Amino acid sequence: MLKVDKISEETYYSFISQADLGNFMQYPSWAKVKTEWTSDLLGWFTSDNKLAGCGLVLYRKMPYLNRYLAYCPRGPIIDWQSPKLKEWFEPFFAYLKSKHVFSVKIDPPVVQAKWYTPTIKKFLEQAREQGSSGKVLRDLPPDENYATAKQVQPQLRQIGWQKQQGDTGFAASQPEYVYRLPLKGRSLDEVFACFHTNWRRNVKKADRLGVKVRVGTEQDLPAFYELLKVTSERDQFKVRSFSYFSNMYQSLKAEAADRIALYLAEDEEELLSATLAVHSNFHSWYLYGASSNVKREKAPNHAIQWRMIQDAYQLNAYTYDFRGISPTLDESDHLFGLLRFKLGFGGEACEMIGAWDYPLQPLLHRAFQLYLKRR
């Protein structure tokens, strides 16, 4: 029998730092970033009181009600290969009920399928020749299917978890499709050689034209933020407040010196591109990116990605994660541009098992889902 209870930050950190599936969004520092939520650091204990799993749970109170929505981003960190997942979730639900939670959301760190870049490119070439469009990754047979995902999803449904379908308006959920560049067991020369020819050429061109990439400090955050606002206006997305990024940088940096890094690509002190990267558990993530409207011909975005990949390699990262992509393979779709850029680095498109909801109070859960759809 397993039991779930709160644990100290020190105990939690000691466990997750050694966990294979540890994600930066499951670290104590991420709770400090999400200031609009309250949080708990939970531990799963065996009958002999051994810590066997952990999870950062965020809570958001519903207006006018003493009820909470709970969210465990890219978690919890449990034995996802277990054939008895129900035994892991029953004490978790019991604990959340004691916290007046009416609905809980998770997006587990479990990959179900993977497509290699050459496979995707071949498919795109065939689609161009045939004049077909409107395709998505799932129209293409994966290069790899994962047994763990095949046994996890039926178990979750049997327990009562409901898979989130499409965009429900709950912005906290993590992307179901991500793009990753494997680094383990490869030299940097081998990694670079797998870039598309034009991407290699752009990296070299940026260097030849004088673009310099450096790691910034907290004092560079205002410049990053101003460039992010330029990017948001050009690409039409909402941007968080400066205080959010300042708090993120300070909180993650305080937890570990290499947890977060700010990169700036400059041409004679003119900022052309800036990014934020995070690192934990032999995994590095490209978290945010901003770019100028000028001197784009100098390829600062390619230069800054190559520098982040090199630094991830020096941190012994097994994977460099470009994070979210759209599953569309329709080159006329505006969302395809993000995948096109990431494909040039020669990685893999990965499908996670997605976000799942468990209604601890079904009536209130359904009312909340209706509210989200009407927003």
Side-chain angles (χ1 to χ4, degrees):
M1 292 291 294
L2 292 163
K3 64 177 182 178
V4 170
D5 205 350
K6 289 176 65 174
I7 57 177
S8 70
E9 187 170 314
E10 182 180 6
T11 300
Y12 187 98
Y13 185 86
S14 177
F15 184 89
I16 194 174
S17 62
Q18 303 301 316
D20 290 339
L21 297 176
N23 186 288
F24 71 96
M25 284 180 284
Q26 278 292 291
Y27 271 78
S29 58
W30 197 245
K32 297 178 175 68
V33 174
K34 311 307 285 185
T35 55
E36 68 273 31
W37 303 70
T38 56
S39 63
D40 275 336
L41 299 174
L42 301 182
W44 274 255
F45 293 90
T46 61
S47 56
D48 58 356
N49 212 37
K50 181 181 178 182
L51 186 59
C54 70
L56 165 65
V57 180
L58 303 172
Y59 303 102
R60 176 167 280 181
K61 189 177 184 296
M62 292 298 98
Y64 314 114
L65 295 173
N66 186 32
R67 292 292 182 270
Y68 294 82
L69 175 70
Y71 177 44
C72 190
R74 281 293 187 248
I77 310 303
I78 59 175
D79 180 10
W80 286 102
Q81 297 186 42
S82 171
K84 299 179 180 179
L85 285 176
K86 185 177 181 181
E87 295 181 3
W88 288 85
F89 283 111
E90 284 182 339
F92 183 51
F93 295 151
Y95 180 87
L96 293 178
K97 285 178 181 178
S98 74
K99 301 286 288 189
H100 304 291
V101 169
F102 73 90
S103 182
V104 56
K105 183 179 294 291
I106 59 174
D107 32 45
V110 178
V111 177
Q112 65 173 324
K114 185 182 291 184
W115 293 263
Y116 303 147
T117 289
T119 302
I120 298 173
K121 287 184 175 180
K122 183 178 180 181
F123 183 84
L124 291 170
E125 288 170 4
Q126 292 173 344
R128 289 188 209 108
E129 292 172 359
Q130 298 167 5
S132 60
S133 61
K135 301 295 185 179
V136 295
L137 276 169
R138 267 296 164 189
D139 293 324
L140 175 62
D143 289 294
E144 291 187 51
N145 284 297
Y146 288 84
T148 299
K150 288 183 179 179
Q151 77 165 17
V152 165
Q153 294 186 89
Q155 286 193 78
L156 291 177
R157 291 189 177 94
Q158 188 174 25
I159 292 166
W161 286 97
Q162 301 169 4
K163 186 167 183 178
Q164 179 179 308
Q165 300 298 326
D167 183 7
T168 65
F170 186 80
S173 297
Q174 301 308 310
E176 187 170 349
Y177 290 87
V178 298
Y179 195 80
R180 294 173 173 174
L181 177 63
L183 300 177
K184 186 179 181 181
R186 307 168 73 193
S187 69
L188 277 174
D189 286 341
E190 289 171 332
V191 171
F192 189 71
C194 288
F195 286 12
H196 187 281
T197 303
N198 290 341
W199 269 237
R200 296 198 303 270
R201 184 181 297 122
N202 281 340
V203 169
K204 294 174 182 177
K205 181 171 76 170
D207 182 59
R208 187 176 70 254
L209 296 179
V211 175
K212 304 296 182 185
V213 180
R214 65 181 176 90
V215 177
T217 67
E218 189 175 349
Q219 284 66 45
D220 294 300
L221 279 175
F224 159 79
Y225 188 70
E226 289 304 311
L227 197 60
L228 187 62
K229 289 195 293 185
V230 170
T231 309
S232 71
E233 291 173 7
R234 183 183 66 237
D235 296 343
Q236 298 183 327
F237 63 85
K238 293 182 179 179
V239 63
R240 291 177 178 270
S241 68
F242 175 76
S243 61
Y244 177 83
F245 292 97
S246 178
N247 178 44
M248 177 194 295
Y249 188 89
Q250 292 171 2
S251 298
L252 271 63
K253 206 71 170 175
E255 185 173 73
D258 61 5
R259 182 74 72 239
I260 187 168
L262 170 63
Y263 290 86
L264 304 105
E266 298 166 322
D267 176 45
E268 296 181 347
E269 299 186 0
E270 181 179 8
L271 184 59
L272 303 182
S273 182
T275 57
L276 283 172
V278 291
H279 178 85
S280 74
N281 301 73
F282 300 103
H283 202 109
S284 292
W285 290 264
Y286 164 39
L287 193 56
Y288 284 96
S291 60
S292 173
N293 294 328
V294 301
K295 298 185 180 180
R296 299 171 73 84
E297 72 281 359
K298 293 196 172 188
N301 295 330
H302 295 82
I304 205 168
Q305 289 294 337
W306 176 229
R307 171 63 187 273
M308 288 197 293
I309 291 166
Q310 291 177 89
D311 285 1
Y313 190 90
Q314 295 304 319
L315 287 169
N316 297 315
Y318 296 163
T319 305
Y320 178 80
D321 197 322
F322 287 88
R323 299 195 76 230
I325 55 172
S326 166
T328 183
L329 294 177
D330 184 348
E331 294 186 274
S332 66
D333 190 323
H334 73 283
L335 294 175
F336 180 77
L338 193 58
L339 176 58
R340 178 186 287 113
F341 177 71
K342 296 175 181 181
L343 278 173
F345 293 96
E348 304 163 345
C350 303
E351 181 186 22
M352 313 299 289
I353 65 169
W356 297 72
D357 299 310
Y358 190 89
L360 290 170
Q361 292 185 277
L363 287 176
L364 190 51
H365 172 82
R366 281 200 293 271
F368 180 67
Q369 295 301 311
L370 287 172
Y371 164 75
L372 289 177
K373 289 178 181 179
R374 290 171 181 169
R375 288 181 63 183

